[in-house]
Amino acid sequence: MQGARPAWATFGENVAMKKILPLLLLFFTQPDPVAGQPDPATYIRLSMRYYQDEGERYLGVSPELISSGRDVLSLAMQKYPRRFRYVLMNKTRFQGIYEKYYPDTIRINRLFTDSLRMDASFMRVYGLLAAPFTGKENPSVRFSQQQLMAVAARFFYCQSVRSDSGIASAICVGRNGLNELSSFPDQSLLEAFCFEAIFEKYYVSPGVKNLFITRFLSFIEEGRRTYINLFVNQDLYLKGVREYCFKKMEQDGALAAALLEYYEANKDNLAFVIES
């Protein structure tokens, strides 16, 4: 009969379809990290430029917010840049990856934002930061005051020992003790908040530092006196003073008051609750 198909052809197609169907099912059921979230490419890019350092020229790479937009999320990023920048600088990978493609910045940014879309951990915290401004329903994220203080204390960092046994310190990210802190769900969101709140509350008035700054410096001196017997081993000495300051800052009333005051003033633009 004209148009009849041999049995072996039908059999072969059935086998092929049985192989393809699981792949199609897998493709359509894989979670899309960016589904329902603002597209990173609209709000984030990599800045790449050459720098001079002690006579040497090198290519510097860092993520930055795109500040030219006028939509509600762009305006929020302009108003609260610290929380978004914190996540970009500390929760994404960009060093030593894209330099080889320079000066093709279009390709670099496509690769970078594609990598962000596929990073479920980044997309979750990015979505949580964006949710209060985009009208998305906020998930039920709750933190205790104990978690708040444990995270905030780690920004007060004793970083090196001077020859006179003094301690050089900084309020910083990247070199703090957060990596040593036992993590909990959505900790990155709380880190971003603490970073913003600490620097927003750093001064109580022009030129006048908040009391928690003075307390931190006094705790360093207390720790120095407590652990001076370890000065012969500067690693142990520094670690002792650092841990002492972490514990003291976790319990510091001035820091707690500043953080909670900032939280109360910004509850409507945060996607979490701090429980009393």
Side-chain angles (χ1 to χ4, degrees):
M1 184 184 301
Q2 187 175 4
R5 308 176 67 190
W8 59 265
T10 304
F11 174 78
E13 289 174 356
N14 288 338
V15 171
M17 284 302 296
K18 286 180 179 178
K19 291 181 178 179
I20 292 172
L21 281 173
L23 294 176
L24 290 173
L25 183 61
L26 179 64
F27 176 79
F28 286 113
T29 57
Q30 282 294 312
D32 179 6
V34 80
Q37 305 287 19
D39 185 358
T42 303
Y43 302 97
I44 300 164
R45 66 186 171 203
L46 274 184
S47 171
M48 305 191 74
R49 64 191 71 177
Y50 279 101
Y51 295 88
Q52 292 284 137
D53 184 23
E54 297 181 355
E56 296 207 11
R57 190 166 178 255
Y58 69 97
L59 185 63
V61 181
S62 62
E64 64 180 13
L65 303 174
I66 298 174
S67 59
S68 57
R70 303 307 298 169
D71 62 284
V72 65
L73 184 54
S74 292
L75 295 176
M77 288 180 171
Q78 294 166 33
K79 187 173 183 179
Y80 307 103
R82 284 194 172 102
R83 65 184 71 169
F84 292 96
R85 286 176 182 159
Y86 177 87
V87 172
L88 283 179
M89 294 299 296
N90 295 277
K91 306 300 176 180
T92 67
R93 295 179 62 249
F94 52 88
Q95 296 285 5
I97 300 174
Y98 304 104
E99 289 87 342
K100 61 186 176 183
Y101 302 116
Y102 190 81
D104 190 349
T105 55
I106 293 176
R107 183 182 184 187
I108 287 168
N109 276 290
R110 185 181 70 249
L111 292 171
F112 178 59
T113 54
D114 283 351
S115 73
L116 296 183
R117 289 189 194 95
M118 297 308 297
D119 184 342
S121 177
F122 169 79
M123 289 305 299
R124 173 165 174 80
V125 68
Y126 170 65
L128 287 169
L129 290 175
F133 310 104
T134 58
K136 298 291 182 183
E137 183 178 352
N138 291 350
S140 180
V141 178
R142 296 181 175 274
F143 300 115
S144 66
Q145 288 191 24
Q146 183 179 2
Q147 288 174 314
L148 171 70
M149 295 303 293
V151 168
R154 296 289 168 142
F155 286 93
F156 296 83
Y157 195 72
C158 299
Q159 56 188 12
S160 61
V161 179
R162 296 193 291 263
S163 59
D164 64 353
S165 80
I167 302 291
S169 63
I171 300 176
C172 62
V173 294
R175 298 182 64 186
N176 56 28
L178 283 165
N179 290 336
E180 302 162 11
L181 187 66
S182 297
S183 61
F184 48 84
D186 295 314
Q187 180 177 305
S188 296
L189 183 64
L190 190 57
E191 289 176 24
F193 167 78
C194 289
F195 174 71
E196 178 175 292
I198 287 168
F199 284 97
E200 288 293 330
K201 304 295 284 187
Y202 193 95
Y203 292 100
V204 293
S205 60
V208 180
K209 295 178 182 178
N210 200 303
L211 180 58
F212 64 75
I213 304 297
T214 307
R215 293 271 183 85
F216 175 44
L217 297 177
S218 69
F219 294 148
I220 292 174
E221 181 58 24
E222 289 176 15
R224 188 191 69 79
R225 293 196 302 267
T226 300
Y227 291 96
I228 191 64
N229 62 307
L230 298 178
F231 184 59
V232 291
N233 186 325
Q234 293 194 4
D235 288 340
L236 286 178
Y237 173 62
L238 178 60
K239 183 177 180 180
V241 178
R242 182 183 294 154
E243 292 296 327
Y244 180 88
C245 289
F246 284 159
K247 291 296 184 185
K248 285 291 187 177
M249 291 306 294
E250 277 189 45
Q251 301 161 6
D252 185 63
L255 178 59
L259 294 172
L260 292 172
E261 181 180 353
Y262 191 77
Y263 166 73
E264 289 294 331
N266 289 277
K267 284 195 294 188
D268 62 337
N269 60 67
L270 295 169
F272 61 85
V273 173
I274 295 177
E275 298 175 326
S276 57

